[in-house]
Amino acid sequence: MLNSEPQPQVEAPAQPLPVEPLVTLSDAAAGKLQELTKEEANPEIGLRVYVYSGGCSGFRYGMMLEDQPSAEDVRVDSKGVRIYVDGQSTQYLSGSEIDYVDTLMGAGFTVNNPNAVSACGCGSSFRTSDSAGSPGACHH
């Protein structure tokens, strides 16, 4: 006998949306960082990335090797390398990729930041659409 009563619709559970990492490393950046830290005995060694006020567009990037992250840092693992970002800088770096370039003009780490709406000619400072950073001199 067929049941003619309407059956409740069961919806499939919602799939979680993929979470974009705060910061990622290019293959070149990961390789260079692994090279720079291969002799380090401290397992906490990683790259600290931060944003501070300055530069001709309002904000500048800073990077350094970090062996003592703070409890407030956001930790990201990308391609076998640890990245530490302080809470204040996360709003400016979300979705960024750190790359390493080696050209005739020099070598170094760069930030490909989707949040930056403008950058200065020297390439070391930026501004976001929400930022109120005050432009200053363009110094390297």
Side-chain angles (χ1 to χ4, degrees):
M1 176 162 153
L2 294 173
N3 186 352
S4 60
E5 292 181 28
Q7 298 297 315
Q9 295 293 327
V10 178
E11 292 185 29
Q15 296 295 320
L17 295 174
V19 176
E20 182 177 285
L22 174 63
V23 178
T24 59
L25 296 174
S26 70
D27 290 339
K32 187 62 174 179
L33 286 163
Q34 288 168 347
E35 177 186 321
L36 291 171
T37 60
K38 68 182 175 188
E39 302 295 324
E40 290 289 332
N42 184 344
E44 296 298 312
I45 193 80
L47 178 68
R48 172 168 300 287
V49 182
Y50 55 96
V51 172
Y52 62 99
S53 187
C56 51
S57 291
F59 290 109
R60 295 184 63 116
Y61 300 109
M63 292 183 216
M64 61 187 253
L65 290 178
E66 177 69 72
D67 61 356
Q68 293 183 347
S70 73
E72 293 81 30
D73 286 338
V74 175
R75 178 182 150 184
V76 177
D77 292 309
S78 180
K79 299 183 180 176
V81 177
R82 290 184 179 175
I83 305 167
Y84 301 109
V85 181
D86 65 271
Q88 295 287 338
S89 297
T90 58
Q91 63 184 318
Y92 303 113
L93 293 170
S94 182
S96 294
E97 179 192 53
I98 299 167
D99 194 10
Y100 182 79
V101 295
D102 191 355
T103 67
L104 290 175
M105 297 299 291
F109 292 95
T110 63
V111 179
N112 300 316
N113 187 341
N115 305 301
V117 295
S118 69
C120 69
C122 62
S124 61
S125 71
F126 70 100
R127 181 175 58 83
T128 66
S129 61
D130 295 335
S131 67
S134 301
C138 192
H139 301 290
H140 292 273

